[in-house]
């Protein structure tokens, strides 16, 4: 308790220093507003203290078994095999292991002990240090010509991302048809383990917050995990010691005796069994290889046989928006012409695989005129316009190991343009081809123009001018710039890409692949829209939520089997 109080006192000190910095630079017109905000924020901090926000020291002891020895797993059977130890895969594995044996397979290495992943001061550095097969971030360039990355490490993209945590809007949860109460419980489960309140708001985040308010994104909401209009401070997976908590930390909540985590292992394809008597095709296991090996290496693991096949476990793909459709195609599931082109024998023709790929278009403005050596600074605040269509965030991103630039970025929350994913080769470790068709629809182009005007107001704000000094402030546009053209040339990603195996097209509402038994998908590939806000929170929640659903489904099945027996 003394220790906690001490840490909190320390945090408040830091916070005050940062506010003071921001504050000193403000001139009179802002001062009233700043004062009110400051007081509101301090009250919030006090409330947090009193309510004692769940506080967990970092470095929970890991008890589950992690190995990179493929031979340890080869030939074995499990109730569930989860492909992809990412944002959604880890909470799912932890939850299913409460009652069943689970194998979680991840192509990347361990996040533990890797400063590129764990240290907040290295935010953004993994994106600069990519290689073809092993780096924790795997880069790809969409066919639109926009550079992008995917996580390749246990923890998935939650191990390389901005760590910004914000729940989906109520409308999103409603449209998804999820159980509101269970959704709340699942969010809270995640938040009690890997999400931290902003004990410390960095000087740049404070300034960005004021600049967004100055540009009229109101009201000011203080700290909130909810997706609400106005300007707010959200949660983060970085704790007060500057350490990142990836989704892999959620594995600590599972049953370590029934959880095997196989890392540095790439799944090559799903294995199927066709029962011609019943005319049904069931996923019976996976084929995999060491990620650093040659493509001819192949080992297998299986789904455990049970007497009653209707209560058997599943192979669950959680390989992300690029990984899951790619793996289905490599396994013979997908549009048949495409499979034929790569000589992959057809298991099932499902037209929707690889369709509906979307990325939220983003415009980012660098507001300082040249690189500095400030520390990288992940996003903590968000400005959400009153129609919920534009979301503004700010960060400091590294350009190299010793130079950074300060930026403000905005994304279109609900774009309508869609693209598609295709195989590019048959190596499961390499990227498929994907096109997002950024700004192809008139709606998206109009939103982009609006978004750019808003960013321009923010970039010209007094708050930012005071922070950087007028001469260092980069002005985005002059009045005569053609903003549509500007958008076309400058559109980029904010890394919230999704789709490829969407609900209703490839999977049903239980995330089961249509027409096949024993195969589910749970990750960003199932989203036909991003959850308005940044997707990580909702993907973490979804892993827990669907894990609980599967447990209760199977409880119901075993209860009815037990009843049958006693009859
Ligand atoms: C740079 C960046 C910054 C971002 N910032 C934020 C942010 O601040 N806030 C936010 O909410 N969202 C953010 N996002 C988005 C968010 O992180 C992703 O949408 C989310 O993590 C995706 O989760 P997922 O479970 O769908 O996939 P992932 O988390 O990517 O997991 C997929 C996993 O599957 C593994 N895999 C793939 N293929 C195979 C295979 N064949 N065999 C074995 N394993 C395989 C991958 O290695 C990976 O670990 C960011 C994303 C990026 C990339
Ligand atoms: C592991 O899961 C199996 C179901 O496959 C269950 O019967 C067993 O009790 C579990 N073991 C432990 C140690 O929890
Ligand atoms: C996994 O691969 C990475 C990258 O090659 C390597 O550094 C790490 O040691 C491997 N992990 C294990 C447990 O073998
Ligand atoms: C078997 O199932 C497939 C897919 O549902 C269907 O197309 C096919 O006609 C069925 N075959 C028989 C013999 O019923
Ligand atoms: C792959 O990495 C493992 C350690 O993770 C190592 O033992 C093995 O020799 C490597 N294989 C190749 C082909 O480099
Ligand atoms: C597919 O098989 C045909 C005939 O065996 C071969 O000519 C062709 O090169 C193969 N295509 C690919 C992409 O492997
Ligand atoms: C960064 O390091 C490089 C090489 O070590 C050096 O040339 C450069 O001046 C440094 N940049 C800054 C901003 O410190
Ligand atoms: C594979 O990717 C390369 C590089 O992006 C591209 O030139 C080529 O057309 C792609 N091939 C297919 C079949 O998608
Ligand atoms: C298998 O389980 C299902 C679902 O509970 C049940 O309807 C069926 O009767 C069971 N079959 C056998 C052979 O026990």
């Amino acid at each position: 308790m003394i220790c906690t109080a001490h840490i909190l006192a320390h945090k408040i000190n830091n916070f005050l220093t940062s506010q003071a910095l921001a504050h000193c630079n403000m001139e009179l017109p802002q001062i009233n507003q700043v004062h009110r905000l400051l007081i509101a924020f301090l009250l919030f901090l006090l409330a947090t203290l009193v309510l004692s926000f769940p506080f967990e020291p970092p470095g929970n002891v890991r008890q589950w078994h992690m190995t990179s020895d493929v031979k340890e797993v080869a030939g074995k059977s499990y109730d569930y095999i989860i492909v992809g130890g990412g944002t959604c895969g880890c909470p799912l594995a932890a939850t299913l292991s409460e009652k069943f044996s689970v194998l979680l397979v991840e192509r990347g290495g361990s996040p533990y002990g890797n400063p590129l992943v764990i240290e907040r001061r290295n935010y953004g550095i993994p994106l600069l240090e990519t290689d073809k097969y092993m780096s924790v971030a795997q880069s790809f360039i969409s066919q639109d010509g926009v550079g992008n990355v995917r996580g390749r490490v246990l923890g998935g993209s939650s191990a390389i991302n901005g760590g910004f945590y914000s729940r989906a809007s109520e409308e999103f949860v409603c449209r998804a048809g999820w159980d509101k109460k269970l959704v709340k419980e699942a969010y809270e489960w995640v938040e009690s383990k890997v999400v931290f309140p902003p004990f410390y708001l960095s000087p740049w985040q404070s300034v960005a917050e004021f600049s967004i308010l100055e540009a009229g994104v109101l009201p000011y909401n203080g700290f909130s995990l909810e997706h609400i209009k106005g300007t707010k401070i959200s949660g983060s997976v970085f704790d007060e010691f500057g350490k990142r908590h990836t989704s892999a930390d959620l594995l600590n909540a599972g049953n370590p005796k029934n959880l095997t985590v196989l890392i540095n292992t790439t799944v090559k394809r799903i294995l199927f069994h066709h029962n011609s008597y019943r005319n049904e095709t069931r996923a019976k296991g996976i084929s995999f290889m060491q990620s650093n090996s040659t493509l001819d290496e192949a080992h297998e693991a299986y789904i455990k046989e049970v007497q009653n096949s209707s209560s058997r476990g599943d192979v669950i793909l959680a390989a992300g928006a690029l990984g899951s459709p790619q793996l289905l195609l490599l396994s013979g599931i997908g549009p048949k012409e495409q499979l034929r082109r790569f000589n992959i024998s057809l298991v099932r023709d499902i037209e929707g695989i690889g369709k509906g790929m979307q990325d939220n278009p983003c415009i980012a403005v660098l507001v300082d005129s040249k690189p500095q050596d400030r520390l990288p600074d992940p996003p903590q605040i968000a400005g959400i316009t009153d129609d919920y269509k534009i979301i503004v965030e700010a960060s400091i991103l590294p350009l190299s190991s010793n130079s950074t630039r300060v930026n403000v970025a905005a994304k279109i929350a609900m774009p309508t343009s869609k693209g598609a994913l295709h195989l590019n080769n048959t190596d499961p470790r390499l990227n498929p081809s994907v096109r997002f068709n950024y700004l192809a629809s008139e709606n998206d182009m109009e939103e982009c123009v609006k978004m750019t005007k808003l960013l321009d107001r923010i970039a010209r704000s007094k708050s930012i001018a005071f922070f950087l000094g007028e001469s260092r402030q980069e002005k985005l546009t002059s009045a005569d710039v053609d903003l549509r053209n500007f958008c076309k040339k400058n559109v980029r990603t904010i890394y919230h890409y999704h789709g490829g195996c969407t609900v209703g097209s490839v999977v049903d509402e239980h995330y089961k692949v249509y027409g096949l038994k024993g195969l589910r998908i749970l990750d960003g590939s199932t989203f036909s829209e991003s959850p308005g806000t940044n997707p990580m929170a909702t993907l973490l929640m979804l892993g827990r939520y669907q894990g609980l659903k599967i447990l209760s489904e199977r409880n119901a099945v075993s209860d009815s089997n037990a009843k049958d027996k006693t009859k």
Side-chain angles (χ1 to χ4, degrees), residues 371-373 400-404:
Q372 309 269 315
D373 59 358
S400 71
S401 61
N402 65 352
S403 70
T404 54

PDB file of all heavy atoms in Angstrom, residues 371-373 400-404, ligand 7:
ATOM      1  N   PRO A 371      13.278  17.252 -37.735  1.00  0.00           N
ATOM      2  CA  PRO A 371      13.410  16.217 -36.706  1.00  0.00           C
ATOM      3  C   PRO A 371      14.124  16.720 -35.454  1.00  0.00           C
ATOM      4  O   PRO A 371      14.987  17.595 -35.531  1.00  0.00           O
ATOM      5  CB  PRO A 371      14.251  15.149 -37.389  1.00  0.00           C
ATOM      6  CG  PRO A 371      14.132  15.393 -38.832  1.00  0.00           C
ATOM      7  CD  PRO A 371      13.915  16.849 -38.995  1.00  0.00           C
ATOM      8  N   GLN A 372      13.726  16.164 -34.308  1.00  0.00           N
ATOM      9  CA  GLN A 372      14.332  16.505 -33.024  1.00  0.00           C
ATOM     10  C   GLN A 372      14.737  15.193 -32.364  1.00  0.00           C
ATOM     11  O   GLN A 372      14.546  14.138 -32.933  1.00  0.00           O
ATOM     12  CB  GLN A 372      13.288  17.186 -32.135  1.00  0.00           C
ATOM     13  CG  GLN A 372      12.567  18.337 -32.771  1.00  0.00           C
ATOM     14  CD  GLN A 372      13.253  19.651 -32.521  1.00  0.00           C
ATOM     15  OE1 GLN A 372      13.659  19.920 -31.403  1.00  0.00           O
ATOM     16  NE2 GLN A 372      13.396  20.449 -33.552  1.00  0.00           N
ATOM     17  N   ASP A 373      15.221  15.306 -31.126  1.00  0.00           N
ATOM     18  CA  ASP A 373      15.521  14.047 -30.450  1.00  0.00           C
ATOM     19  C   ASP A 373      14.604  13.788 -29.258  1.00  0.00           C
ATOM     20  O   ASP A 373      14.995  13.211 -28.270  1.00  0.00           O
ATOM     21  CB  ASP A 373      16.996  14.004 -30.028  1.00  0.00           C
ATOM     22  CG  ASP A 373      17.338  15.154 -29.109  1.00  0.00           C
ATOM     23  OD1 ASP A 373      16.434  15.976 -28.844  1.00  0.00           O
ATOM     24  OD2 ASP A 373      18.492  15.227 -28.665  1.00  0.00           O
ATOM     25  N   SER A 400      14.352   7.555 -36.908  1.00  0.00           N
ATOM     26  CA  SER A 400      15.535   6.702 -36.827  1.00  0.00           C
ATOM     27  C   SER A 400      15.763   6.481 -35.337  1.00  0.00           C
ATOM     28  O   SER A 400      14.958   6.924 -34.516  1.00  0.00           O
ATOM     29  CB  SER A 400      16.733   7.410 -37.449  1.00  0.00           C
ATOM     30  OG  SER A 400      17.127   8.484 -36.604  1.00  0.00           O
ATOM     31  N   SER A 401      16.865   5.825 -34.987  1.00  0.00           N
ATOM     32  CA  SER A 401      17.046   5.503 -33.570  1.00  0.00           C
ATOM     33  C   SER A 401      17.251   6.755 -32.720  1.00  0.00           C
ATOM     34  O   SER A 401      17.056   6.734 -31.520  1.00  0.00           O
ATOM     35  CB  SER A 401      18.216   4.548 -33.399  1.00  0.00           C
ATOM     36  OG  SER A 401      19.378   5.180 -33.880  1.00  0.00           O
ATOM     37  N   ASN A 402      17.626   7.886 -33.314  1.00  0.00           N
ATOM     38  CA  ASN A 402      17.844   9.084 -32.502  1.00  0.00           C
ATOM     39  C   ASN A 402      17.134  10.340 -33.005  1.00  0.00           C
ATOM     40  O   ASN A 402      17.472  11.440 -32.616  1.00  0.00           O
ATOM     41  CB  ASN A 402      19.357   9.344 -32.331  1.00  0.00           C
ATOM     42  CG  ASN A 402      20.009   9.682 -33.672  1.00  0.00           C
ATOM     43  OD1 ASN A 402      19.372   9.574 -34.716  1.00  0.00           O
ATOM     44  ND2 ASN A 402      21.263  10.114 -33.634  1.00  0.00           N
ATOM     45  N   SER A 403      16.160  10.185 -33.890  1.00  0.00           N
ATOM     46  CA  SER A 403      15.409  11.375 -34.285  1.00  0.00           C
ATOM     47  C   SER A 403      13.915  11.068 -34.391  1.00  0.00           C
ATOM     48  O   SER A 403      13.518   9.957 -34.774  1.00  0.00           O
ATOM     49  CB  SER A 403      15.937  11.925 -35.616  1.00  0.00           C
ATOM     50  OG  SER A 403      15.597  11.049 -36.657  1.00  0.00           O
ATOM     51  N   THR A 404      13.128  12.043 -33.994  1.00  0.00           N
ATOM     52  CA  THR A 404      11.677  11.858 -33.983  1.00  0.00           C
ATOM     53  C   THR A 404      11.000  13.092 -34.559  1.00  0.00           C
ATOM     54  O   THR A 404      11.595  14.157 -34.629  1.00  0.00           O
ATOM     55  CB  THR A 404      11.155  11.695 -32.540  1.00  0.00           C
ATOM     56  OG1 THR A 404      11.597  12.801 -31.763  1.00  0.00           O
ATOM     57  CG2 THR A 404      11.631  10.402 -31.906  1.00  0.00           C
TER      58      THR A 404
HETATM   59  C1  LIG B   7      21.785  10.570 -34.996  1.00  0.00           C
HETATM   60  O1  LIG B   7      22.897   9.731 -35.127  1.00  0.00           O
HETATM   61  C2  LIG B   7      23.589   9.924 -36.346  1.00  0.00           C
HETATM   62  C3  LIG B   7      24.665   8.849 -36.468  1.00  0.00           C
HETATM   63  O2  LIG B   7      24.970   8.291 -35.229  1.00  0.00           O
HETATM   64  C4  LIG B   7      24.174  11.351 -36.362  1.00  0.00           C
HETATM   65  O3  LIG B   7      24.852  11.565 -37.567  1.00  0.00           O
HETATM   66  C5  LIG B   7      23.017  12.328 -36.237  1.00  0.00           C
HETATM   67  O4  LIG B   7      23.510  13.650 -36.141  1.00  0.00           O
HETATM   68  C6  LIG B   7      22.182  12.047 -35.019  1.00  0.00           C
HETATM   69  N1  LIG B   7      20.976  12.871 -35.070  1.00  0.00           N
HETATM   70  C7  LIG B   7      20.509  13.551 -34.022  1.00  0.00           C
HETATM   71  C8  LIG B   7      19.240  14.316 -34.252  1.00  0.00           C
HETATM   72  O5  LIG B   7      21.028  13.504 -32.928  1.00  0.00           O
END
